[in-house]
DNA sequence: CCTACCGATCGGTAGG
DNA sequence: CCTACCGATCGGTAGG
């Protein structure tokens, strides 16, 4: 949840640093002492800004889930055809993954360490996102715009394909983020074509 | 490295249990005491079968990397066209992912916890696999069989798409592993078509 | 925001 | 393969 401008609150800094640390070391391997160092304070002082290490993870996952759901709602509200909706959705998701890589990476990998209720909520939102994505796809198939396929296979496969941003981030090949994003979208949209 | 038949050695059992535990809890969150329980022994006794917890991870990742490389070599040796080679490669990889899910999942997520040399070796093998995959793809593009694309984007995207087996494993939808595999391959091969 | 500190747990060893 | 145990480190609290 980075703000564009100045005056970022201490709490926001903490969340940013936590996401960065969790991404590079993994949630379990990340220690509050290490996080404290990144914040230039003692470990004990962190507890003035968060209730626990797990709460930081929860806030990261919640932020990501909310962002996904907001994108979905915005796309559904747009009065365009299935093809444009899917393209818009993929674009939104890629922008999210590129601009907030640490957050998405951590939520994707470390949601298993959420506590029971938070984990259930997270998984429900994920499932909901997939179902609404599948609904758009099905609409497009019925209109004959997309080739027929089992959306319970195709949608997860498409979403997984987007995770190749992880490859791109690790060793940014010559191309820009925007070019990368465009090529992925172009390939995926082509893969749906009916011809 | 599960054997099909009986008389599986104690060491193999340990590796299997470790992979299962690491997958469900993550490497860092998995304790030797928990692993010992799964093996019906005390934690100290595990050290008669392995040098350390990290060695177990290393053996898991090595086994996976070797399996990938063997598949690639077998495909390269086959005297068929690019289209059949890619299809074969995808089939091999999916079978591997479906039959040895724990091993692949752990190596995909927890290789970061390998020690320096092992990590370097692992990443080199991964990179090598991707490059050889890309070479096959380029061959197909030059022959006009595949539509042109930047393989440094396309190959990681295809490999990422295969990771949707994780979705399938989590909540096996009505379809069988073989049907799932066929549908993914069909979709990916279609996405490469030049028309 | 810090000093001081604790109870729990971890990977691993000694010695049999 | 077990009992006994250790040094290190962890998340978190007390009290200011």
């Amino acid at each position: 949840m980075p703000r564009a401008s100045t005056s970022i609150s201490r709490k926001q800094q903490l969340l940013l640093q936590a996401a960065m640390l969790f991404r590079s070391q993994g949630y379990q391997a990340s220690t509050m002492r290490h996080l404290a160092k990144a914040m230039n304070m003692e470990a004990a002082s962190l507890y003035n800004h968060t209730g626990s290490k797990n709460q930081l993870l929860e806030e990261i996952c919640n932020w990501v889930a909310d962002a996904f759901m907001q994108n979905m709602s915005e796309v559904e509200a747009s009065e365009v055809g299935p093809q444009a909706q899917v393209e818009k959705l993929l674009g939104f998701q890629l922008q999210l993954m590129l601009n907030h890589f640490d957050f998405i990476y951590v939520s994707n990998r470390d949601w298993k360490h959420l506590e029971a209720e938070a984990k259930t909520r997270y998984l429900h939102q994920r499932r909901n996102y997939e179902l609404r994505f599948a609904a758009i796809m099905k609409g497009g198939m019925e209109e004959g715009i997309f080739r027929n396929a089992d959306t319970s296979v195709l949608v997860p496969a498409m979403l997984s394909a987007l995770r190749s941003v992880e490859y791109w981030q690790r060793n940014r090949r010559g191309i820009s983020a925007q070019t990368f994003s465009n090529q992925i979208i172009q390939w995926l949209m082509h893969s749906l074509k009916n011809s």
Side-chain angles (χ1 to χ4, degrees), chain A:
Chain A
M1 54 205 328
R3 289 252 216 72
S5 71
T6 58
S7 99
I8 185 172
S9 83
R10 209 89 176 99
K11 176 63 187 285
Q12 283 172 323
Q13 272 181 53
L14 179 59
L15 227 49
L16 240 33
Q17 292 289 348
M20 199 150 70
L21 183 63
F22 292 173
R23 177 190 60 77
S24 66
Q25 318 277 347
Y27 173 72
Q28 285 275 354
S30 298
T31 72
M32 293 302 267
R33 279 157 179 83
H34 198 144
L35 182 55
K37 202 168 222 171
M39 290 291 289
N40 281 316
M41 53 173 77
E42 296 303 312
S45 305
L46 292 171
Y47 292 87
N48 289 307
H49 299 99
T50 185
S52 68
K53 182 183 164 186
N54 196 262
Q55 184 186 314
L56 290 169
L57 177 64
E58 192 174 326
E59 288 178 34
I60 289 168
C61 291
N62 283 344
W63 183 87
V64 170
D66 285 350
F68 269 69
M69 299 316 275
Q70 272 177 31
N71 282 348
M72 180 59 81
S73 296
E74 188 169 333
V75 165
E76 286 171 339
S78 70
E79 302 281 351
V80 293
Q83 176 131 14
Q85 281 192 323
V86 170
E87 203 166 328
K88 206 169 189 173
L89 209 46
L90 295 175
F92 275 170
Q93 191 167 335
L94 278 167
Q95 286 310 310
L96 204 57
M97 294 173 100
L98 288 164
N99 293 333
H100 307 279
F101 183 66
D102 295 336
F103 277 68
I104 272 72
Y105 192 95
V106 168
S107 70
N108 261 343
R109 182 192 56 194
D110 289 326
W111 59 264
K112 297 190 192 198
H113 299 112
L114 288 172
E115 277 170 11
E117 329 94 70
K119 179 155 57 184
T120 305
R121 225 182 317 122
Y122 179 79
L123 287 176
H124 276 160
Q125 283 184 283
R126 249 190 127 86
R127 181 99 188 104
N128 183 263
Y129 184 86
E130 287 168 37
L131 287 173
R132 288 157 79 179
F133 199 141
I136 296 176
M137 292 294 304
K138 277 175 198 157
M141 290 177 194
E142 280 163 17
E143 290 186 33
I145 295 170
F146 301 140
R147 64 197 291 261
N148 273 315
D150 185 340
T151 55
S152 76
V153 172
L154 185 58
V155 169
M158 291 176 71
L159 295 179
S160 287
L162 296 185
R163 290 184 64 175
S164 59
V165 291
E166 296 174 14
Y167 286 77
W168 181 82
Q169 277 275 6
R170 244 200 302 285
N171 43 356
R172 289 136 173 283
R173 341 213 174 217
I175 62 180
S176 71
Q178 197 53 54
T179 304
F180 168 82
S181 179
N182 287 342
Q183 290 196 22
I184 291 282
I185 293 174
Q186 196 181 25
W187 169 64
L188 284 175
M189 295 313 293
H190 172 80
S191 79
L192 303 177
K193 274 200 200 136
N194 212 347
S195 67

